Amino acid sequence: MSDKEVIDKLLAAERWEVENFIRLYQVPEFDTDIMINHRWDALDMLAHIVAWHESFALNLSLIA
């Protein structure tokens, strides 16, 4: 499997996880444009958490 195929597969899995997360915590009044702090809205925060998790999981698998 090429690097691009691996990246595409990981990206698809991550998108699926984000969609599941959103469905799980979806509230009718929930607005992703609500600012969490002076720079990030809720969607930015979620993207950061997902990216950090992927990076951390990859580093752990490389160490193992």
Side-chain angles (χ1 to χ4, degrees):
M1 189 178 294
S2 72
D3 289 344
K4 183 183 180 322
E5 291 172 330
V6 170
I7 291 170
D8 288 343
K9 185 176 179 179
L10 290 171
L11 184 57
E14 206 54 46
R15 283 185 182 139
W16 185 78
E17 289 296 334
V18 169
E19 289 169 5
N20 284 339
F21 182 87
I22 290 170
R23 268 195 298 277
L24 181 63
Y25 292 101
Q26 195 167 32
V27 177
E29 302 86 31
F30 185 69
D31 182 4
T32 57
D33 293 327
I34 294 171
M35 296 304 289
I36 303 298
N37 61 29
H38 67 285
R39 293 185 337 194
W40 290 5
D41 60 22
L43 196 55
D44 293 330
M45 189 67 73
L46 177 60
H48 175 75
I49 291 168
V50 169
W52 182 88
H53 168 75
E54 274 299 299
S55 173
F56 187 72
L58 176 62
N59 289 338
L60 284 180
S61 69
L62 291 174
I63 289 171

